[in-house]
Coordinates of all heavy atoms in Angstrom, one line a residue:
A7 N 0.8 -1.2 0.0 CA 0.0 0.0 0.0 C 0.8 1.3 0.0 O 0.3 2.4 -0.2 CB -0.9 0.0 1.2
A8 N 2.2 1.1 0.2 CA 3.0 2.3 0.3 C 3.0 3.2 -0.9 O 2.9 4.5 -0.8 CB 4.5 1.8 0.5
P9 N 3.0 2.7 -2.2 CA 2.9 3.7 -3.3 C 1.6 4.6 -3.3 O 1.7 5.8 -3.5 CB 2.8 2.8 -4.6 CG 3.5 1.5 -4.1 CD 3.2 1.4 -2.7
G10 N 0.5 4.0 -2.9 CA -0.7 4.8 -2.8 C -0.7 5.7 -1.6 O -1.1 6.9 -1.7
L11 N -0.2 5.3 -0.5 CA -0.1 6.1 0.7 C 0.9 7.3 0.5 O 0.7 8.4 1.1 CB 0.3 5.3 2.0 CG -0.7 4.2 2.4 CD1 -0.2 3.4 3.5 CD2 -2.1 4.8 2.7
A12 N 1.9 7.0 -0.2 CA 2.9 8.1 -0.5 C 2.7 8.9 -1.7 O 3.4 9.8 -2.0 CB 4.3 7.4 -0.6
G13 N 1.6 8.5 -2.5 CA 1.3 9.2 -3.7 C 2.3 9.1 -4.8 O 2.5 9.9 -5.7
E14 N 3.0 7.9 -4.9 CA 4.0 7.7 -5.9 C 3.4 6.8 -7.0 O 3.5 5.5 -7.0 CB 5.2 7.0 -5.3 CG 6.0 7.9 -4.4 CD 6.8 9.0 -5.1 OE1 6.9 8.9 -6.3 OE2 7.3 9.9 -4.4
D15 N 2.7 7.4 -8.0 CA 2.1 6.7 -9.0 C 3.1 5.9 -9.9 O 2.8 4.9 -10.5 CB 1.3 7.6 -9.9 CG 0.5 6.9 -11.0 OD1 0.0 5.8 -10.8 OD2 0.5 7.4 -12.1
R16 N 4.3 6.4 -9.9 CA 5.4 5.8 -10.8 C 5.7 4.3 -10.4 O 6.0 3.5 -11.2 CB 6.6 6.6 -10.6 CG 7.8 6.1 -11.4 CD 9.0 6.9 -11.1 NE 10.2 6.5 -11.8 CZ 11.5 7.0 -11.6 NH1 11.6 8.0 -10.8 NH2 12.5 6.5 -12.3
Y17 N 5.6 4.0 -9.1 CA 6.0 2.7 -8.6 C 4.8 1.8 -8.4 O 5.0 0.6 -8.0 CB 6.7 2.8 -7.2 CG 7.9 3.7 -7.3 CD1 7.9 5.0 -6.7 CD2 9.0 3.3 -7.9 CE1 9.0 5.8 -6.7 CE2 10.2 4.1 -8.0 CZ 10.2 5.4 -7.4 OH 11.3 6.1 -7.4
A18 N 3.6 2.2 -8.7 CA 2.4 1.4 -8.4 C 2.4 0.1 -9.3 O 2.2 -1.0 -8.8 CB 1.1 2.2 -8.7
M19 N 2.7 0.3 -10.6 CA 2.7 -0.9 -11.5 C 3.9 -1.8 -11.2 O 3.8 -3.0 -11.2 CB 2.8 -0.4 -12.9 CG 2.8 -1.5 -14.0 SD 1.3 -2.6 -13.9 CE 0.1 -1.4 -14.6
L20 N 5.0 -1.2 -10.8 CA 6.2 -2.0 -10.5 C 5.9 -2.9 -9.3 O 6.2 -4.1 -9.3 CB 7.4 -1.1 -10.2 CG 8.0 -0.3 -11.4 CD1 9.1 0.6 -10.9 CD2 8.5 -1.3 -12.4
V21 N 5.4 -2.3 -8.3 CA 5.1 -3.1 -7.0 C 4.1 -4.1 -7.3 O 4.3 -5.3 -6.9 CB 4.6 -2.1 -5.9 CG1 4.1 -2.9 -4.7 CG2 5.8 -1.2 -5.5
A22 N 3.0 -3.8 -8.0 CA 2.0 -4.8 -8.2 C 2.5 -6.0 -9.1 O 2.2 -7.1 -8.8 CB 0.8 -4.1 -8.9
A23 N 3.2 -5.7 -10.2 CA 3.6 -6.7 -11.1 C 4.7 -7.6 -10.4 O 4.6 -8.9 -10.4 CB 4.2 -6.1 -12.3
F24 N 5.7 -7.0 -9.8 CA 6.8 -7.8 -9.3 C 6.3 -8.6 -8.0 O 6.7 -9.7 -7.8 CB 8.0 -7.0 -9.0 CG 8.7 -6.6 -10.3 CD1 8.7 -5.3 -10.8 CD2 9.5 -7.6 -11.0 CE1 9.4 -5.0 -11.9 CE2 10.1 -7.2 -12.1 CZ 10.1 -5.9 -12.6
A25 N 5.6 -7.9 -7.1 CA 5.2 -8.5 -5.8 C 4.2 -9.6 -6.2 O 4.3 -10.7 -5.6 CB 4.6 -7.5 -4.9
G26 N 3.2 -9.4 -7.0 CA 2.3 -10.4 -7.4 C 2.9 -11.6 -8.1 O 2.6 -12.7 -7.9
G27 N 3.9 -11.3 -9.0 CA 4.6 -12.4 -9.7 C 5.4 -13.2 -8.8 O 5.4 -14.5 -8.9
L28 N 6.1 -12.6 -7.8 CA 6.8 -13.4 -6.9 C 5.9 -14.2 -6.0 O 6.3 -15.3 -5.5 CB 7.7 -12.5 -6.0 CG 8.9 -11.8 -6.8 CD1 9.6 -10.8 -5.8 CD2 9.9 -12.9 -7.2
T29 N 4.7 -13.7 -5.7 CA 3.8 -14.4 -4.9 C 3.4 -15.7 -5.6 O 3.4 -16.8 -5.0 CB 2.6 -13.6 -4.6 OG1 3.0 -12.4 -3.8 CG2 1.6 -14.4 -3.7
V30 N 3.0 -15.6 -6.9 CA 2.6 -16.8 -7.6 C 3.8 -17.8 -7.7 O 3.6 -19.0 -7.6 CB 2.1 -16.4 -9.0 CG1 1.7 -17.6 -9.8 CG2 0.9 -15.5 -8.9
L31 N 4.9 -17.2 -8.0 CA 6.1 -18.1 -8.1 C 6.4 -18.8 -6.8 O 6.8 -20.0 -6.8 CB 7.3 -17.3 -8.5 CG 8.6 -18.0 -8.9 CD1 8.3 -18.9 -10.1 CD2 9.7 -17.0 -9.2
G32 N 6.2 -18.1 -5.7 CA 6.4 -18.7 -4.4 C 5.4 -19.9 -4.1 O 5.8 -20.9 -3.6
W33 N 4.2 -19.7 -4.5 CA 3.2 -20.7 -4.4 C 3.5 -21.9 -5.3 O 3.1 -23.1 -4.9 CB 1.8 -20.2 -4.7 CG 1.2 -19.5 -3.5 CD1 1.4 -18.3 -3.0 CD2 0.2 -20.1 -2.6 NE1 0.7 -18.0 -1.9 CE2 -0.1 -19.1 -1.6 CE3 -0.5 -21.3 -2.5 CZ2 -1.1 -19.3 -0.6 CZ3 -1.4 -21.5 -1.5 CH2 -1.7 -20.5 -0.6
L34 N 4.2 -21.7 -6.3 CA 4.6 -22.8 -7.2 C 5.8 -23.6 -6.7 O 5.8 -24.8 -6.7 CB 5.0 -22.2 -8.6 CG 3.8 -21.8 -9.5 CD1 4.4 -21.1 -10.8 CD2 3.0 -23.1 -10.0
L35 N 6.8 -22.9 -6.1 CA 8.0 -23.5 -5.8 C 8.1 -23.9 -4.3 O 8.7 -25.0 -4.0 CB 9.2 -22.6 -6.1 CG 9.3 -22.2 -7.6 CD1 10.5 -21.4 -7.8 CD2 9.4 -23.5 -8.5
L36 N 7.6 -23.1 -3.4 CA 7.8 -23.4 -2.0 C 7.2 -24.7 -1.5 O 7.8 -25.5 -0.7 CB 7.3 -22.3 -1.1 CG 8.1 -21.0 -1.1 CD1 7.5 -19.9 -0.2 CD2 9.6 -21.3 -0.7
P37 N 6.0 -25.1 -2.0 CA 5.5 -26.4 -1.6 C 6.4 -27.6 -2.1 O 6.4 -28.6 -1.4 CB 4.1 -26.5 -2.3 CG 3.7 -25.1 -2.5 CD 5.0 -24.3 -2.7
L38 N 7.1 -27.4 -3.2 CA 8.0 -28.4 -3.7 C 9.3 -28.6 -2.8 O 9.8 -29.7 -2.6 CB 8.4 -28.2 -5.1 CG 7.3 -28.2 -6.1 CD1 7.8 -27.9 -7.5 CD2 6.6 -29.6 -6.2
V39 N 9.8 -27.4 -2.3 CA 11.1 -27.5 -1.7 C 11.1 -27.4 -0.2 O 12.1 -27.7 0.5 CB 12.0 -26.4 -2.2 CG1 12.2 -26.5 -3.7 CG2 11.4 -25.0 -1.9
F40 N 9.9 -27.0 0.4 CA 9.9 -26.9 1.8 C 8.6 -27.3 2.5 O 8.5 -28.3 3.1 CB 10.3 -25.5 2.2 CG 10.6 -25.3 3.7 CD1 11.7 -25.9 4.3 CD2 9.7 -24.6 4.5 CE1 11.9 -25.8 5.7 CE2 9.9 -24.5 5.9 CZ 11.0 -25.1 6.4
F41 N 7.6 -26.4 2.3 CA 6.4 -26.5 3.2 C 5.5 -27.7 2.9 O 4.9 -28.2 3.8 CB 5.6 -25.2 3.1 CG 6.4 -24.0 3.7 CD1 6.9 -23.1 2.9 CD2 6.5 -23.9 5.1 CE1 7.6 -22.0 3.4 CE2 7.2 -22.8 5.6 CZ 7.8 -21.9 4.8
G42 N 5.4 -28.1 1.6 CA 4.4 -29.1 1.3 C 3.0 -28.4 1.2 O 2.8 -27.2 1.4
V43 N 2.0 -29.2 0.8 CA 0.6 -28.7 0.7 C -0.2 -29.5 1.7 O 0.0 -30.6 2.0 CB 0.1 -28.9 -0.7 CG1 0.8 -28.0 -1.7 CG2 0.2 -30.4 -1.2

């Protein structure tokens, strides 16, 4: 929420794309290498 709270429109798309992409990637890989399902 920091880009919105700070009024930095420039970083909104960067944060959403990279954070969301890493989240999906984490759900793909972490169950395989550590936590399980």
Side-chain angles (χ1 to χ4, degrees):
L11 298 176
E14 293 288 346
D15 183 38
R16 175 185 182 184
Y17 302 108
M19 180 62 72
L20 292 175
V21 171
F24 286 108
L28 289 175
T29 300
V30 177
L31 190 63
W33 276 78
L34 282 172
L35 299 181
L36 288 180
L38 295 178
V39 300
F40 188 71
F41 293 105
V43 291

